[in-house]
Amino acid sequence: MAVDSILSSPLGPPACEKDAKALQFIEEMTRNADSVQENVLAQILTRNAQTEYLKGLNLNGATDRETFKSKVPMVTYEDLQPLIQRIANGDRSPIFSAHPVSEFLTSSGTSAGERKLMPTIKEELDRRQLLYSLLMPVMNLYVKGLDKGKGLYFLFIKSETETPGGLLARPVLTSYYKSDHFKTRPFDPYNVYTSPNEAILCPDSFQSMYTQMLCGLYERQQVLRVGAVFASGLLRAIRFLQLNWQQLTEDIRTGSLNPKVTDPPIREYMTRSIRPDPGLADCIAKECSKENWEGIITRIWPNTKYLDVIVTGAMAQYIPTLDYYSGGLPKACTMYASSECYFGLNLNPMCKPSEVSYTIMPNMAYFEFLPHEPNNSPGSTPPSQLVDLADVEIGKEYELVITTYAGLCRYRVGDILRVTGFHNSAPQFQFVRRKNVLLSIDSDKTDEAELQTAVENASKLLREFNTSVVEYTSYADTKTIPGHYVIYWELLSKDSGNSPSKHVLDRCCLAMEESLNSVYRQCRVADNSIGPLEIRVVRNGTFEELMDYAISRGASINQYKVPRCVSFTPIMELLDSRVVSAHFSPSLPHWTPERSMKKRIK
């Protein structure tokens, strides 16, 4: 009897009985989203009733929403930092959670200032594992036969640091990969990696990447999907192959391992599995030695069905480069998560990147949503206006606010989400941007999404020259009078004999300014409080150097994202030392008072 006749799902026919149960769980949770949320909040408040934080708010054991909403304030990380620091320093009393804090999960380390330390508890690993277990059952609805091959995933850990009180502090993915949930995971034919645990768990990023790439090359015919956490990580792997294919093919040809790979567990594993294969080495060398690397992913791994990478938010700018290297393979964004909490999954993972929406799983935490009004000043929306998960409205934008089992209460994550629809009674959200990633010189404010759009519009001028922007960042240069925006571009030119001229790149500056908001253009045209926008083209490999620098200072290779605004002096010096040409907007952008007024009225 077919599996789907045993236990069918409204999402589609499951691939196996295990998938059927996972899909049924998704249906149960999303069908009863509001009641699940009510139970989650009651569980959290009951469990943590005697913690210092909740006792200080005089809940007196209440677990209902009304009391919770009236007595518990919204908070940011800065509000909680003194209490978090006490835990980091060794205070083991129940401050946030009745369960002992097991470790700290760190932010990605790409924002300004120190990395955040988010206290977590052991059972959160179970909750994260639960969400992971739902991903492949959903993917199997859209891509058949994934049990007939393997996934080439570039996954990395970061070595831990220890707080003064003795607790580990590490990125959430390092915590997961080092857990028994990952290391001793049961065999699942739908979720087999080419990368051995020994390579994933090696703290040296070169040795880890080298071994994962080598194993992926050996099994090139078995690879059905290629991925990394972020799109930037996958592009870093392609760049690694460009730099190291000759040594990799030599290892395959001779059946020996590069002496630079010294990690004992890796060498022990590879001794058992490495073998001489001159034919495979010749095949890979033939492709890698060609000057044109367009479609290299499908040339090396010809059976790849899709790329598994996050390409939403700031990662969207990598889409053209991924298309170039993959020949336009589908890009699957499967889940939405952060160090504070895992939130939900994409129930249509093979959709276009611009259509990605994540369904919030109501069992993961208690979710509230702060209506996002871009023109409101901080704190202008009172906590009483927070909206419950089941009550958000399609088309509106909200800032995500969470209450977790680990003890965070009404914590502002800083993500701005737009409601796109519902699956049963659970809303689906498009990730819009991180809040308050801004450039500002005067009264202007440019956020990450607006900057991304400006770069995309300006880069259209480069198409006729077969050139694209592969990476960018920015900063507000206030040393000049007036100050001006500086945008660093790293370019990929597919035709070195037809590169864009200085005149074209100057026009790119103006195209960016035309894409920015009316307040910026008013400052440029009427107030003269902002100078012409500048694009500084940096030499190829600069942003890879920037990533290496961030990793050397403690960023996670898995979670690293290029900061879209920079201000840290060593980073500025690194970027400026790699500039090959500088370009300025040749004229003023368009702006009229009438046009500005219309925008305000809207």
Side-chain angles (χ1 to χ4, degrees):
M1 187 181 291
V3 171
D4 54 314
S5 64
I6 298 173
L7 192 59
S8 61
S9 166
L11 289 166
C16 60
E17 187 172 354
K18 180 182 174 186
D19 281 13
K21 292 178 180 177
L23 298 177
Q24 184 184 42
F25 178 77
I26 292 172
E27 286 300 298
E28 289 173 355
M29 289 296 105
T30 57
R31 195 178 294 125
N32 306 298
D34 195 53
S35 61
V36 171
Q37 281 281 276
E38 195 168 20
N39 290 336
V40 165
L41 180 62
Q43 289 172 11
I44 292 171
L45 295 180
T46 299
R47 171 193 294 185
N48 296 329
Q50 297 305 309
T51 60
E52 178 182 330
Y53 189 77
L54 285 183
K55 285 172 70 176
L57 297 173
N58 297 315
L59 284 177
N60 299 320
T63 62
D64 62 286
R65 285 175 172 174
E66 188 175 342
T67 305
F68 172 77
K69 289 172 180 288
S70 66
K71 293 195 173 184
V72 179
M74 278 191 298
V75 293
T76 63
Y77 182 79
E78 288 69 30
D79 296 325
L80 303 180
Q81 194 165 15
L83 295 174
I84 290 173
Q85 196 59 53
R86 278 175 49 196
I87 301 171
N89 290 341
D91 190 332
R92 295 292 181 267
S93 64
I95 295 175
F96 293 118
S97 171
H99 287 215
V101 173
S102 56
E103 62 182 323
F104 286 101
L105 302 178
T106 60
S107 66
S108 60
T110 58
S111 54
E114 297 179 4
R115 292 182 298 157
K116 296 176 181 176
L117 296 174
M118 305 309 306
T120 191
I121 56 179
K122 278 187 177 178
E123 76 167 44
E124 281 298 306
L125 271 170
D126 299 330
R127 210 164 274 110
R128 290 193 283 272
Q129 178 59 41
L130 173 61
L131 191 62
Y132 281 127
S133 74
L134 304 177
L135 303 183
M136 287 311 296
V138 172
M139 183 60 74
N140 290 336
L141 296 173
Y142 294 88
V143 183
K144 307 302 180 186
L146 292 176
D147 57 331
K148 303 296 189 286
K150 299 183 178 183
L152 168 54
Y153 282 78
F154 296 98
L155 308 175
F156 304 91
I157 65 160
K158 175 73 178 70
S159 56
E160 302 99 342
T161 56
E162 198 172 276
T163 67
L167 287 173
L168 290 176
R170 54 191 179 180
V172 63
L173 290 172
T174 296
S175 171
Y176 176 67
Y177 297 147
K178 286 198 163 190
S179 73
D180 288 338
H181 287 81
F182 181 82
K183 291 191 294 184
T184 62
R185 61 196 183 277
F187 176 77
D188 178 355
Y190 291 93
N191 204 12
V192 180
Y193 297 147
T194 58
S195 297
N197 284 359
E198 290 83 351
I200 295 170
L201 296 173
C202 175
D204 183 277
S205 60
F206 173 86
Q207 296 182 62
S208 176
M209 177 78 87
Y210 191 94
T211 308
Q212 293 187 60
M213 184 65 76
L214 184 60
C215 292
L217 293 172
Y218 264 115
E219 301 199 67
R220 65 183 290 262
Q221 295 291 348
Q222 291 292 310
V223 170
L224 301 182
R225 51 205 170 103
V226 176
V229 178
F230 291 115
S232 53
L234 182 53
L235 291 177
R236 183 171 172 84
I238 298 301
R239 175 64 176 162
F240 186 91
L241 181 60
Q242 284 182 314
L243 296 173
N244 294 280
W245 67 264
Q246 290 171 307
Q247 181 62 53
L248 286 158
T249 52
E250 180 64 19
D251 287 5
I252 294 171
R253 190 181 311 282
T254 61
S256 57
L257 184 60
N258 184 343
K260 289 182 180 177
V261 180
T262 59
D263 183 74
I266 287 181
R267 294 203 71 88
E268 183 182 343
Y269 174 86
M270 294 304 292
T271 299
R272 300 194 304 268
S273 58
I274 200 168
R275 62 193 184 279
D277 192 335
L280 175 61
D282 289 343
C283 176
I284 295 168
K286 179 182 175 183
E287 295 299 333
C288 292
S289 60
K290 295 176 181 177
E291 184 177 344
N292 181 4
W293 271 51
E294 186 170 2
I296 192 68
I297 292 176
T298 47
R299 283 155 49 188
I300 299 293
W301 297 282
N303 299 313
T304 307
K305 296 174 182 284
Y306 66 92
L307 306 180
D308 191 343
V309 286
I310 294 172
V311 288
T312 51
M315 292 293 122
Q317 80 110 22
Y318 297 103
I319 292 170
T321 311
L322 285 173
D323 285 340
Y324 174 75
Y325 286 125
S326 73
L329 282 174
K331 289 159 285 294
C333 297
T334 57
M335 65 182 290
Y336 171 40
S338 75
S339 299
E340 295 91 345
C341 179
Y342 278 27
F343 306 120
L345 70 167
N346 182 0
L347 295 180
N348 183 15
M350 299 301 282
C351 66
K352 296 177 182 177
S354 60
E355 298 172 358
V356 170
S357 289
Y358 300 103
T359 301
I360 300 292
M361 288 298 290
N363 59 302
M364 299 302 292
Y366 184 67
F367 300 103
E368 296 176 276
F369 299 87
L370 180 64
H372 179 63
E373 303 293 343
N375 297 323
N376 281 3
S377 60
S380 61
T381 305
S384 61
Q385 290 190 20
L386 263 67
V387 178
D388 285 326
L389 180 70
D391 296 330
V392 295
E393 298 179 38
I394 293 176
K396 290 194 173 180
E397 292 186 2
Y398 299 89
E399 181 184 348
L400 181 58
V401 179
I402 60 172
T403 298
T404 68
Y405 286 90
L408 294 177
C409 286
R410 308 193 99 181
Y411 177 86
R412 299 175 71 163
V413 175
D415 288 357
I416 305 300
L417 310 176
R418 181 182 299 116
V419 187
T420 56
F422 284 81
H423 179 74
N424 296 322
S425 62
Q428 298 175 308
F429 293 92
Q430 185 176 62
F431 178 87
V432 178
R433 61 186 169 274
R434 287 286 298 170
K435 191 181 179 204
N436 297 334
V437 180
L438 302 175
L439 281 173
S440 181
I441 297 289
D442 190 62
S443 57
D444 58 297
K445 286 180 171 58
T446 299
D447 63 29
E448 184 174 332
E450 196 171 18
L451 183 63
Q452 171 80 24
T453 299
V455 171
E456 289 173 352
N457 289 343
S459 65
K460 291 174 184 175
L461 298 174
L462 306 177
R463 287 179 184 171
E464 62 180 288
F465 304 97
N466 277 330
T467 298
S468 59
V469 180
V470 295
E471 198 52 274
Y472 73 90
T473 190
S474 64
Y475 88 100
D477 185 353
T478 55
K479 293 178 182 175
T480 59
I481 302 174
H484 69 294
Y485 288 12
V486 176
I487 318 296
Y488 294 94
W489 276 11
E490 184 172 321
L491 302 177
L492 173 65
S493 183
K494 300 164 194 171
D495 182 2
S496 57
N498 186 32
S499 298
S501 65
K502 177 183 183 303
H503 173 68
V504 171
L505 289 165
D506 288 348
R507 285 171 53 214
C508 287
C509 297
L510 181 58
M512 283 197 68
E513 291 194 302
E514 293 285 10
S515 301
L516 297 176
N517 60 69
S518 62
V519 175
Y520 171 90
R521 287 181 280 107
Q522 178 181 353
C523 290
R524 275 279 284 127
V525 177
D527 303 340
N528 196 30
S529 57
I530 299 179
L533 183 143
E534 178 184 3
I535 290 175
R536 297 178 188 172
V537 178
V538 296
R539 72 187 188 203
N540 290 347
T542 295
F543 281 86
E544 190 173 4
E545 291 181 63
L546 185 62
M547 179 175 178
D548 289 338
Y549 177 81
I551 290 168
S552 74
R553 288 179 53 82
S556 162
I557 191 172
N558 273 308
Q559 294 174 277
Y560 177 81
K561 291 174 280 192
V562 172
R564 293 304 173 209
C565 297
V566 294
S567 58
F568 190 48
T569 300
I571 291 177
M572 309 293 300
E573 291 174 349
L574 188 156
L575 289 166
D576 283 330
S577 69
R578 305 299 189 269
V579 171
V580 294
S581 63
H583 309 271
F584 290 87
S585 188
S587 59
L588 293 171
H590 295 292
W591 178 82
T592 62
E594 293 79 16
R595 182 175 174 184
S596 174
M597 187 59 66
K598 286 177 185 174
K599 287 208 167 190
R600 286 192 195 124
I601 292 170
K602 288 179 183 177

